[in-house]
Structures are given as structure tokens and as C-alpha cells.
Amino acid sequence: MQKKTDIMKKAFKTAFPHTIPIFAGFWFLGMTYGIYMNVSGFSFWYPMLMSLTIFAGSMEFVAVNLLLGAFNPLQAFAMTLMINARHLFYGISMLDKYRGTGWKKFYLIFGMCDESFSINYTAEIPEDTDRGWFMFFVTLLNQFYWFFGATLGGIFGSLIHFNTEGLDFVMTAMFVVIFLEQWLKEKNHVSAMIGVVLSLICLVAFGADDFMIPSMIAIFAALTLMRGRLEGGVSG
């Protein structure tokens, strides 16, 4: 019987390569966030602690203006819910995968971001690797990358002077790569096409600022209605 430390080491070694592309995006964006906090007048403690406790990149950027503005907890709650509503759909799709992971489930729920979801949902975990520890280390490593970048940006932000405009496109490019990898790996592209088509329709109907939540609802509804047909197509 394998020792617990051996199981953890095996899971870590298996999970780490999956997170290397995330490191590149999180390190640059985390640095940008830390620098942004610094030039906004906040000590490096703010981005460091916020990356540990909030761990929601988009919301952490928005939180800078919330901290600088008037105290309005209702507005902060509504904005947070709107920005991170997509995690409701992520969470539903991860219910089966998180089952049986024990105490690790609490951290997996807390630390689930877009990138961790993408890896944990799609990765083909080897049979000799513990599934719970694999997902745990994917989540932990991704949060560490963000924490590391945000803290460095907060510390050295006052010493670095460069134009960071457009740097956030790193994450967009990374998701395009993830989508293409899944497209090449899957034989049935129906679910991918549903996501693309419905997202484009919602983009036209609601605009670039408001299409995310309607598109997620539409995709969730479409995939739920077509679940039997999709599973049949995959199994066949």
C-alpha cells in the first residue's frame, strides 16, 4: 500500500506540468495587479492578502476602485455576484468530480478559478494518480502563481515603470489555446459549437459588457437539454 507522502508526490508531479501555462498568465497579470494596487496608494500587504483570501482576479482589480470609493457593501456584493456568477455553472459541473475528495473539497470549492476548472474538468488523470490530490495541487499551484505575482508587483511596483496596457490579453490567448487543445482531442465538437454559437448570439444581443451571464445561462440550458444526445454521441 502506498504511503500518503508517495501518493501526494505522485499527484504533485502529475499536476505541475498542467499548470505551467497558467503560471505565465498568472505571473504577468498578478504583477500587473500588484503594480496597480501600488500606484493606487496601497501597501503590498493589500494585494498579498487579497490574493490569498479573495482569489478572484477580475474582482480584485475591481476591488481597487471599491476600496477607494465610498463605503457601499450592497454595491460591492452585487458587483461581486455579477462578475463571478459564472462560477455557479462551474460548480454545478464539478459536483461529481469533487465527490469523495474529503476535506480537500472545501479548498477545491474556494480555490476554483477559470483556469483550475479548465484543468480539473478536462485533464485525463492517470489511474495510478489520486484524483483528489491531483485537483488539490492544480488548485493550490494556480493560487500560488497568482499570489506570487501579486505580491511581487506590490513590492516592486514603485520601482517598475512601464505601460501595462493590453497585458491582460495573455489570459485570453491562453483560453484560446485551451479551447483548441480540447477541439483537437475531442471527436465530437457539438458541445464546443453550441458554446461558440450561443456566445456570439448573446454578444450581439446584449453587447460586450453584458453578454457573459446570458451566454452562460443559454449554454447551461442547451447542454442540459441535449445531455442525453451528447452522451450518446460520445459513447457511440
Side-chain angles (χ1 to χ4, degrees), residues 136-183:
F136 175 85
F137 283 122
V138 165
T139 306
L140 182 66
L141 285 167
N142 286 341
Q143 184 174 11
F144 173 75
Y145 300 151
W146 179 260
F147 164 80
F148 179 58
T151 303
L152 283 183
I155 293 173
F156 299 111
S158 58
L159 306 176
I160 302 174
H161 302 283
F162 64 95
N163 186 4
T164 60
E165 184 178 356
L167 192 60
D168 55 351
F169 187 74
V170 171
M171 302 308 292
T172 302
M174 185 184 67
F175 274 112
V176 171
V177 172
I178 292 174
F179 176 81
L180 291 176
E181 287 181 348
Q182 286 303 115
W183 179 277

Side-chain angles (χ1 to χ4, degrees), residues 30 36 50-51 87 94 96 117 138 141 168 208-209 212 219 235:
Y36 181 43
M50 289 170 68
S51 63
H87 291 157
M94 293 299 288
D96 290 335
F117 166 78
V138 165
L141 285 167
D168 55 351
D209 294 332
M212 180 64 73
I219 293 170
S235 61

